[in-house]
PDB file of all heavy atoms in Angstrom:
ATOM      1  N   CYS A  88      92.010 130.453  70.045  1.00  0.00           N
ATOM      2  CA  CYS A  88      91.527 129.400  70.891  1.00  0.00           C
ATOM      3  C   CYS A  88      91.726 129.841  72.327  1.00  0.00           C
ATOM      4  O   CYS A  88      92.700 129.427  73.009  1.00  0.00           O
ATOM      5  CB  CYS A  88      92.274 128.087  70.612  1.00  0.00           C
ATOM      6  SG  CYS A  88      91.845 126.655  71.576  1.00  0.00           S
ATOM      7  N   LEU A 117      87.109 132.311  65.903  1.00  0.00           N
ATOM      8  CA  LEU A 117      87.118 131.475  67.113  1.00  0.00           C
ATOM      9  C   LEU A 117      87.200 129.997  66.659  1.00  0.00           C
ATOM     10  O   LEU A 117      86.237 129.488  66.159  1.00  0.00           O
ATOM     11  CB  LEU A 117      85.896 131.729  67.974  1.00  0.00           C
ATOM     12  CG  LEU A 117      85.791 130.916  69.255  1.00  0.00           C
ATOM     13  CD1 LEU A 117      86.884 131.321  70.250  1.00  0.00           C
ATOM     14  CD2 LEU A 117      84.403 131.077  69.889  1.00  0.00           C
ATOM     15  N   VAL A 118      88.334 129.391  66.845  1.00  0.00           N
ATOM     16  CA  VAL A 118      88.565 128.033  66.306  1.00  0.00           C
ATOM     17  C   VAL A 118      88.575 126.981  67.420  1.00  0.00           C
ATOM     18  O   VAL A 118      88.747 125.735  67.105  1.00  0.00           O
ATOM     19  CB  VAL A 118      89.835 127.970  65.464  1.00  0.00           C
ATOM     20  CG1 VAL A 118      89.720 128.832  64.231  1.00  0.00           C
ATOM     21  CG2 VAL A 118      91.060 128.382  66.281  1.00  0.00           C
ATOM     22  N   GLY A 119      88.469 127.388  68.659  1.00  0.00           N
ATOM     23  CA  GLY A 119      88.517 126.431  69.780  1.00  0.00           C
ATOM     24  C   GLY A 119      88.508 127.084  71.097  1.00  0.00           C
ATOM     25  O   GLY A 119      88.477 128.298  71.184  1.00  0.00           O
ATOM     26  N   ILE A 120      88.495 126.179  72.118  1.00  0.00           N
ATOM     27  CA  ILE A 120      88.588 126.641  73.518  1.00  0.00           C
ATOM     28  C   ILE A 120      89.656 125.822  74.224  1.00  0.00           C
ATOM     29  O   ILE A 120      89.703 124.579  74.001  1.00  0.00           O
ATOM     30  CB  ILE A 120      87.251 126.469  74.217  1.00  0.00           C
ATOM     31  CG1 ILE A 120      86.184 127.355  73.634  1.00  0.00           C
ATOM     32  CG2 ILE A 120      87.379 126.729  75.728  1.00  0.00           C
ATOM     33  CD1 ILE A 120      84.759 127.067  74.133  1.00  0.00           C
ATOM     34  N   ASN A 121      90.467 126.441  74.927  1.00  0.00           N
ATOM     35  CA  ASN A 121      91.487 125.776  75.784  1.00  0.00           C
ATOM     36  C   ASN A 121      91.022 125.754  77.188  1.00  0.00           C
ATOM     37  O   ASN A 121      90.881 126.835  77.807  1.00  0.00           O
ATOM     38  CB  ASN A 121      92.811 126.548  75.654  1.00  0.00           C
ATOM     39  CG  ASN A 121      93.931 125.859  76.441  1.00  0.00           C
ATOM     40  OD1 ASN A 121      93.742 125.111  77.382  1.00  0.00           O
ATOM     41  ND2 ASN A 121      95.152 126.178  76.095  1.00  0.00           N
ATOM     42  N   MET A 122      90.714 124.589  77.733  1.00  0.00           N
ATOM     43  CA  MET A 122      90.113 124.478  79.103  1.00  0.00           C
ATOM     44  C   MET A 122      91.300 124.342  80.079  1.00  0.00           C
ATOM     45  O   MET A 122      91.721 123.243  80.413  1.00  0.00           O
ATOM     46  CB  MET A 122      89.210 123.245  79.131  1.00  0.00           C
ATOM     47  CG  MET A 122      88.326 123.249  80.346  1.00  0.00           C
ATOM     48  SD  MET A 122      87.073 121.925  80.135  1.00  0.00           S
ATOM     49  CE  MET A 122      86.776 121.571  81.865  1.00  0.00           C
ATOM     50  N   PHE A 148      83.439 117.178  81.606  1.00  0.00           N
ATOM     51  CA  PHE A 148      84.074 117.613  80.375  1.00  0.00           C
ATOM     52  C   PHE A 148      83.121 117.391  79.205  1.00  0.00           C
ATOM     53  O   PHE A 148      82.936 118.249  78.330  1.00  0.00           O
ATOM     54  CB  PHE A 148      85.391 116.902  80.149  1.00  0.00           C
ATOM     55  CG  PHE A 148      85.782 116.827  78.731  1.00  0.00           C
ATOM     56  CD1 PHE A 148      86.209 118.010  78.089  1.00  0.00           C
ATOM     57  CD2 PHE A 148      85.741 115.690  77.996  1.00  0.00           C
ATOM     58  CE1 PHE A 148      86.564 118.002  76.744  1.00  0.00           C
ATOM     59  CE2 PHE A 148      86.127 115.645  76.675  1.00  0.00           C
ATOM     60  CZ  PHE A 148      86.470 116.797  75.997  1.00  0.00           C
ATOM     61  N   GLN A 152      81.694 120.060  76.617  1.00  0.00           N
ATOM     62  CA  GLN A 152      82.015 119.926  75.206  1.00  0.00           C
ATOM     63  C   GLN A 152      80.736 119.981  74.314  1.00  0.00           C
ATOM     64  O   GLN A 152      80.695 120.702  73.330  1.00  0.00           O
ATOM     65  CB  GLN A 152      82.800 118.639  74.939  1.00  0.00           C
ATOM     66  CG  GLN A 152      83.197 118.403  73.534  1.00  0.00           C
ATOM     67  CD  GLN A 152      84.288 119.326  73.055  1.00  0.00           C
ATOM     68  OE1 GLN A 152      84.051 120.555  72.949  1.00  0.00           O
ATOM     69  NE2 GLN A 152      85.459 118.815  72.726  1.00  0.00           N
ATOM     70  N   GLY A 157      81.363 121.404  70.544  1.00  0.00           N
ATOM     71  CA  GLY A 157      82.600 120.751  70.164  1.00  0.00           C
ATOM     72  C   GLY A 157      83.788 121.618  70.064  1.00  0.00           C
ATOM     73  O   GLY A 157      84.791 121.219  69.410  1.00  0.00           O
ATOM     74  N   LEU A 158      83.756 122.790  70.626  1.00  0.00           N
ATOM     75  CA  LEU A 158      84.859 123.765  70.492  1.00  0.00           C
ATOM     76  C   LEU A 158      86.061 123.472  71.384  1.00  0.00           C
ATOM     77  O   LEU A 158      87.158 123.951  71.164  1.00  0.00           O
ATOM     78  CB  LEU A 158      84.395 125.202  70.768  1.00  0.00           C
ATOM     79  CG  LEU A 158      83.702 125.906  69.622  1.00  0.00           C
ATOM     80  CD1 LEU A 158      83.102 127.214  70.078  1.00  0.00           C
ATOM     81  CD2 LEU A 158      84.669 126.159  68.460  1.00  0.00           C
ATOM     82  N   ILE A 159      85.876 122.690  72.455  1.00  0.00           N
ATOM     83  CA  ILE A 159      87.038 122.416  73.381  1.00  0.00           C
ATOM     84  C   ILE A 159      88.087 121.629  72.616  1.00  0.00           C
ATOM     85  O   ILE A 159      87.824 120.467  72.243  1.00  0.00           O
ATOM     86  CB  ILE A 159      86.581 121.747  74.674  1.00  0.00           C
ATOM     87  CG1 ILE A 159      85.542 122.635  75.402  1.00  0.00           C
ATOM     88  CG2 ILE A 159      87.786 121.532  75.544  1.00  0.00           C
ATOM     89  CD1 ILE A 159      84.923 121.942  76.623  1.00  0.00           C
ATOM     90  N   ARG A 160      89.256 122.192  72.485  1.00  0.00           N
ATOM     91  CA  ARG A 160      90.358 121.528  71.740  1.00  0.00           C
ATOM     92  C   ARG A 160      91.457 121.026  72.674  1.00  0.00           C
ATOM     93  O   ARG A 160      92.209 120.101  72.297  1.00  0.00           O
ATOM     94  CB  ARG A 160      91.005 122.521  70.746  1.00  0.00           C
ATOM     95  CG  ARG A 160      90.000 123.120  69.748  1.00  0.00           C
ATOM     96  CD  ARG A 160      89.757 122.127  68.576  1.00  0.00           C
ATOM     97  NE  ARG A 160      88.961 122.753  67.566  1.00  0.00           N
ATOM     98  CZ  ARG A 160      88.803 122.236  66.336  1.00  0.00           C
ATOM     99  NH1 ARG A 160      89.398 121.144  66.026  1.00  0.00           N
ATOM    100  NH2 ARG A 160      88.039 122.849  65.444  1.00  0.00           N
ATOM    101  N   LEU A 161      91.578 121.609  73.829  1.00  0.00           N
ATOM    102  CA  LEU A 161      92.614 121.286  74.789  1.00  0.00           C
ATOM    103  C   LEU A 161      91.993 121.244  76.190  1.00  0.00           C
ATOM    104  O   LEU A 161      91.187 122.083  76.589  1.00  0.00           O
ATOM    105  CB  LEU A 161      93.720 122.355  74.822  1.00  0.00           C
ATOM    106  CG  LEU A 161      94.798 122.339  73.703  1.00  0.00           C
ATOM    107  CD1 LEU A 161      95.411 123.686  73.532  1.00  0.00           C
ATOM    108  CD2 LEU A 161      95.868 121.340  73.967  1.00  0.00           C
ATOM    109  N   VAL A 162      92.447 120.243  76.988  1.00  0.00           N
ATOM    110  CA  VAL A 162      92.126 120.170  78.393  1.00  0.00           C
ATOM    111  C   VAL A 162      93.402 120.019  79.189  1.00  0.00           C
ATOM    112  O   VAL A 162      94.265 119.140  78.914  1.00  0.00           O
ATOM    113  CB  VAL A 162      91.181 119.011  78.723  1.00  0.00           C
ATOM    114  CG1 VAL A 162      90.979 118.857  80.228  1.00  0.00           C
ATOM    115  CG2 VAL A 162      89.811 119.196  78.050  1.00  0.00           C
ATOM    116  N   GLU A 181      89.370 112.062  72.574  1.00  0.00           N
ATOM    117  CA  GLU A 181      88.295 113.056  72.333  1.00  0.00           C
ATOM    118  C   GLU A 181      88.839 114.461  72.336  1.00  0.00           C
ATOM    119  O   GLU A 181      88.176 115.392  71.732  1.00  0.00           O
ATOM    120  CB  GLU A 181      87.243 112.910  73.434  1.00  0.00           C
ATOM    121  CG  GLU A 181      86.592 111.537  73.537  1.00  0.00           C
ATOM    122  CD  GLU A 181      85.670 111.398  74.724  1.00  0.00           C
ATOM    123  OE1 GLU A 181      85.000 112.409  75.084  1.00  0.00           O
ATOM    124  OE2 GLU A 181      85.677 110.332  75.370  1.00  0.00           O
ATOM    125  N   VAL A 182      89.975 114.715  72.983  1.00  0.00           N
ATOM    126  CA  VAL A 182      90.473 116.080  73.088  1.00  0.00           C
ATOM    127  C   VAL A 182      91.948 115.948  73.393  1.00  0.00           C
ATOM    128  O   VAL A 182      92.415 114.948  73.964  1.00  0.00           O
ATOM    129  CB  VAL A 182      89.733 116.835  74.250  1.00  0.00           C
ATOM    130  CG1 VAL A 182      90.106 116.240  75.588  1.00  0.00           C
ATOM    131  CG2 VAL A 182      90.027 118.300  74.186  1.00  0.00           C
ATOM    132  N   ARG A 183      92.752 116.975  73.027  1.00  0.00           N
ATOM    133  CA  ARG A 183      94.146 116.932  73.307  1.00  0.00           C
ATOM    134  C   ARG A 183      94.364 117.232  74.768  1.00  0.00           C
ATOM    135  O   ARG A 183      93.820 118.168  75.295  1.00  0.00           O
ATOM    136  CB  ARG A 183      94.941 117.985  72.464  1.00  0.00           C
ATOM    137  CG  ARG A 183      96.463 117.873  72.607  1.00  0.00           C
ATOM    138  CD  ARG A 183      97.177 118.725  71.539  1.00  0.00           C
ATOM    139  NE  ARG A 183      96.993 118.135  70.181  1.00  0.00           N
ATOM    140  CZ  ARG A 183      97.800 117.270  69.639  1.00  0.00           C
ATOM    141  NH1 ARG A 183      98.859 116.809  70.287  1.00  0.00           N
ATOM    142  NH2 ARG A 183      97.581 116.783  68.433  1.00  0.00           N
ATOM    143  N   ILE A 184      95.220 116.415  75.423  1.00  0.00           N
ATOM    144  CA  ILE A 184      95.480 116.569  76.867  1.00  0.00           C
ATOM    145  C   ILE A 184      96.821 117.224  77.059  1.00  0.00           C
ATOM    146  O   ILE A 184      97.834 116.777  76.540  1.00  0.00           O
ATOM    147  CB  ILE A 184      95.483 115.187  77.578  1.00  0.00           C
ATOM    148  CG1 ILE A 184      94.126 114.422  77.297  1.00  0.00           C
ATOM    149  CG2 ILE A 184      95.704 115.372  79.074  1.00  0.00           C
ATOM    150  CD1 ILE A 184      92.904 115.007  77.899  1.00  0.00           C
ATOM    151  N   SER A 337      98.352 121.493  66.228  1.00  0.00           N
ATOM    152  CA  SER A 337      98.095 120.977  67.502  1.00  0.00           C
ATOM    153  C   SER A 337      96.587 120.789  67.794  1.00  0.00           C
ATOM    154  O   SER A 337      96.183 119.776  68.380  1.00  0.00           O
ATOM    155  CB  SER A 337      98.706 121.931  68.588  1.00  0.00           C
ATOM    156  OG  SER A 337      98.320 121.507  69.864  1.00  0.00           O
ATOM    157  N   ILE A 338      95.804 121.728  67.355  1.00  0.00           N
ATOM    158  CA  ILE A 338      94.357 121.639  67.622  1.00  0.00           C
ATOM    159  C   ILE A 338      93.556 121.234  66.416  1.00  0.00           C
ATOM    160  O   ILE A 338      92.328 121.294  66.370  1.00  0.00           O
ATOM    161  CB  ILE A 338      93.796 122.987  68.193  1.00  0.00           C
ATOM    162  CG1 ILE A 338      93.975 124.143  67.179  1.00  0.00           C
ATOM    163  CG2 ILE A 338      94.514 123.314  69.515  1.00  0.00           C
ATOM    164  CD1 ILE A 338      93.213 125.411  67.631  1.00  0.00           C
ATOM    165  N   GLY A 339      94.278 120.733  65.355  1.00  0.00           N
ATOM    166  CA  GLY A 339      93.581 120.135  64.244  1.00  0.00           C
ATOM    167  C   GLY A 339      92.900 121.012  63.261  1.00  0.00           C
ATOM    168  O   GLY A 339      91.910 120.658  62.612  1.00  0.00           O
ATOM    169  N   ILE A 340      93.427 122.272  63.067  1.00  0.00           N
ATOM    170  CA  ILE A 340      92.785 123.203  62.144  1.00  0.00           C
ATOM    171  C   ILE A 340      93.709 123.585  61.016  1.00  0.00           C
ATOM    172  O   ILE A 340      93.484 124.564  60.315  1.00  0.00           O
ATOM    173  CB  ILE A 340      92.348 124.494  62.876  1.00  0.00           C
ATOM    174  CG1 ILE A 340      93.487 125.190  63.521  1.00  0.00           C
ATOM    175  CG2 ILE A 340      91.252 124.156  63.934  1.00  0.00           C
ATOM    176  CD1 ILE A 340      93.183 126.676  63.917  1.00  0.00           C
TER     177      ILE A 340
END
Side-chain angles (χ1 to χ4, degrees):
C88 177
L117 180 67
V118 294
I120 295 169
N121 181 338
M122 195 170 154
F148 157 69
Q152 182 69 296
L158 278 172
I159 301 175
R160 303 279 186 166
L161 282 156
V162 174
E181 302 172 37
V182 69
R183 187 168 291 269
I184 305 290
S337 174
I338 63 171
I340 60 165

